[in-house]
Amino acid sequence: QVRLVESGGGLVQAGGSLRLSCVAQVVGFGIGTVTVRWYRQAPAKEREFVASIDRRGNSVYADSVKGRFTVSRDNAENTVYLQMSTLKPDDTAAYYCNAVFGLNDVWGQGTQVTISS
């Protein structure tokens, strides 16, 4: 069984910060061996890419979050983090992490982030 579990969402004021976590509950793979991607989906909008980190630690960001969000990984904890700063109301969405383990394309259940103005 392969699972990704997100946490850390919540309600914060604009300008605030949150750190999301994505824990891989998987046997046989370490999270450091795969590329992990963060996506988000706001109500009535399509899911969009936010950030990713590959097994070498290289990160990629959507233009909308560049300079405000940072993705990192703790291999010992099998966890990927998304540090979000200077949050805006437009960042309000459900945030999901995703990774491919072997033949399994795995998504977490999502964590809600709500930014008040």
Side-chain angles (χ1 to χ4, degrees):
Q1 188 75 14
V2 179
R3 292 182 66 203
L4 293 174
V5 180
E6 302 100 333
S7 63
L11 171 64
V12 298
Q13 290 188 329
S17 299
L18 280 174
R19 188 178 76 161
L20 306 184
S21 300
C22 171
V23 179
Q25 299 175 349
V26 57
V27 175
F29 290 93
I31 206 166
T33 66
V34 297
T35 295
V36 177
R37 297 174 178 85
W38 285 96
Y39 291 84
R40 66 186 181 186
Q41 187 166 19
K45 291 188 177 180
E46 292 189 356
R47 189 170 294 188
E48 64 174 357
F49 170 80
V50 176
S52 66
I53 184 166
D54 68 14
R55 57 183 179 177
R56 295 181 179 84
N58 299 314
S59 55
V60 177
Y61 299 93
D63 288 344
S64 58
V65 307
K66 232 173 248 185
R68 300 187 299 122
F69 289 13
T70 303
V71 61
S72 62
R73 189 178 61 219
D74 184 335
N75 293 341
E77 297 294 326
N78 236 19
T79 301
V80 168
Y81 300 100
L82 184 67
Q83 177 68 47
M84 308 186 296
S85 303
T86 320
L87 285 161
K88 307 174 182 179
D90 283 350
D91 295 318
T92 295
Y95 283 71
Y96 302 87
C97 59
N98 163 257
V100 177
F101 296 93
L103 300 178
N104 296 306
D105 186 4
V106 182
W107 291 82
Q109 84 289 351
T111 186
Q112 180 65 37
V113 171
T114 303
I115 311 303
S116 63
S117 56

